[in-house]
Amino acid sequence: MRQQVAHKDYAVAIRTVISKMFIARGDGHIGGAFSIADVMAVLFNKYLREEPKDWFVLSKGHAGPAYYACLYLEHKIPKEAITTLNANGTILPSHPDRNLTPGVQCSTGSLGQGISQAVGIAYANKMKNTNAYIYCIVGDGELNEGETYEALEFASNKKLSNLIVFIDSNKKQVDGLIDDVSCKYHYQSLFEGLDLAVHIISGNDVDEIDATISEILTGKKDRCHIVVLDTVKGKGIPLFEKANNCHHVTFNETELKELAVYVEKNEGVVKDVLGIAK
Ligand SMILES: Cc1ncc(C[n+]2csc(CCOP(=O)(O)OP(=O)(O)O)c2C)c(N)n1
């Protein structure tokens, strides 16, 4: 296993690489990519193993750039690709495609379908008696898709203790607040009602995320775990944190400048992470 870096640095490196992709492209799903940078940092920096082969499924596939940033930091994709996000002929399409991008394990983007793949993978691994874990990130807006509950019912029925599902509760989806677009979610009772283990934590706090995963991995293996991440959409750059809508942004001059400032400030951290994650 490679040496770890500080989770906080890894998260900053993820946001910096995403910013580079968006500057080159001129637009992107920034809000939901930045809100999950901290959980992605903990997973890629510490938990995802090659042997036994763990699985990572980004069910909210529009946050693909966050996934690509991790794969770049893990030396799976080349530097030249970073400036080609969603361009013709790129290996980095807007949403993850396992046939195009080295290291991507599941193609996602149609909301509800990533979590459905994740439960299937977890069930197959359970039947084969592997020690692999399946980590899946689902959006809170994605929970508006009925398919997510069908998948979780299956996870409950099959007691998929090798599956950890993170809900990115950033409180906003594409066209407004979750509470307005659909309904207010009472996560504890909602998921306990499905007989799943529920953890509600600060989703932009790397230490709390790390402690929660560690507790799950060392605890009783009798059911699937749901970790609700209380996050901020656009977390990391105040301009986007405060925006009413930063789901998908075509960046104006001020926003591009803000991204460039972030990149300039944190380029050194990316180099440090790349150096250690060799
Ligand atoms: C089946 C399906 N319906 C609609 C969309 C369009 N869409 C893309 S992102 C999104 C909102 C998702 O909200 P959320 O899961 O909260 O994303 P986040 O705020 O975390 O980025 C929608 C409706 C889609 N990708 N797939």
Side-chain angles (χ1 to χ4, degrees), residues 188-248:
Q188 194 80 36
S189 51
L190 177 68
F191 294 125
E192 271 179 6
L194 290 174
D195 213 9
L196 305 167
V198 189
H199 313 253
I200 300 178
I201 66 170
S202 292
N204 292 125
D205 180 332
V206 285
D207 296 328
E208 208 172 321
I209 296 166
D210 191 350
T212 304
I213 299 173
S214 167
E215 185 192 315
I216 293 170
L217 297 189
T218 52
K220 234 163 89 181
K221 312 232 173 319
D222 62 347
R223 67 186 70 190
C224 165
H225 288 259
I226 305 283
V227 181
V228 179
L229 303 166
D230 183 359
T231 60
V232 174
K233 201 155 175 167
K235 178 73 182 178
I237 298 186
L239 181 72
F240 297 110
E241 290 177 14
K242 286 189 217 121
N244 281 334
N245 190 342
C246 65
H247 183 80
H248 179 273

Side-chain angles (χ1 to χ4, degrees), residues 64-269:
Y67 195 0
Y68 304 147
C70 295
L71 294 173
Y72 171 64
L73 293 170
E74 295 301 317
H75 299 269
K76 295 241 164 65
I77 58 178
K79 188 176 183 188
E80 309 79 70
I82 296 303
T83 50
T84 68
L85 180 70
N86 213 16
N88 282 341
T90 186
I91 62 163
L92 304 183
S94 168
H95 297 57
D97 181 336
R98 70 193 299 269
N99 295 313
L100 277 184
T101 313
V104 164
Q105 292 175 292
C106 277
S107 301
T108 53
S110 184
L111 300 173
Q113 296 191 0
I115 175 69
S116 303
Q117 291 181 75
V119 295
I121 295 163
Y123 188 42
N125 273 274
K126 191 174 170 167
M127 288 198 294
K128 285 186 190 160
N129 250 326
T130 76
N131 292 322
Y133 270 90
I134 292 77
Y135 300 92
C136 177
I137 303 181
V138 173
D140 49 3
E142 185 174 7
L143 289 177
N144 295 168
E145 290 285 349
E147 183 178 345
T148 56
Y149 303 96
E150 295 177 51
L152 291 174
E153 285 162 21
F154 185 83
S156 172
N157 180 272
K158 301 297 176 200
K159 301 197 185 326
L160 298 180
S161 57
N162 55 350
L163 173 64
I164 302 178
V165 179
F166 299 93
I167 308 294
D168 179 20
S169 172
N170 61 28
K171 275 76 72 187
K172 293 173 182 168
Q173 67 125 300
V174 64
D175 42 15
L177 298 174
I178 299 292
D179 295 5
D180 295 337
V181 175
S182 174
C183 70
K184 186 171 175 56
Y185 287 120
H186 298 281
Y187 289 114
Q188 194 80 36
S189 51
L190 177 68
F191 294 125
E192 271 179 6
L194 290 174
D195 213 9
L196 305 167
V198 189
H199 313 253
I200 300 178
I201 66 170
S202 292
N204 292 125
D205 180 332
V206 285
D207 296 328
E208 208 172 321
I209 296 166
D210 191 350
T212 304
I213 299 173
S214 167
E215 185 192 315
I216 293 170
L217 297 189
T218 52
K220 234 163 89 181
K221 312 232 173 319
D222 62 347
R223 67 186 70 190
C224 165
H225 288 259
I226 305 283
V227 181
V228 179
L229 303 166
D230 183 359
T231 60
V232 174
K233 201 155 175 167
K235 178 73 182 178
I237 298 186
L239 181 72
F240 297 110
E241 290 177 14
K242 286 189 217 121
N244 281 334
N245 190 342
C246 65
H247 183 80
H248 179 273
V249 180
T250 299
F251 303 107
N252 62 29
E253 219 174 289
T254 313
E255 290 160 342
L256 282 172
K257 210 168 143 197
E258 203 70 22
L259 290 174
V261 168
Y262 192 87
V263 170
E264 201 184 330
K265 185 170 157 216
N266 297 305
E267 195 115 50
V269 182

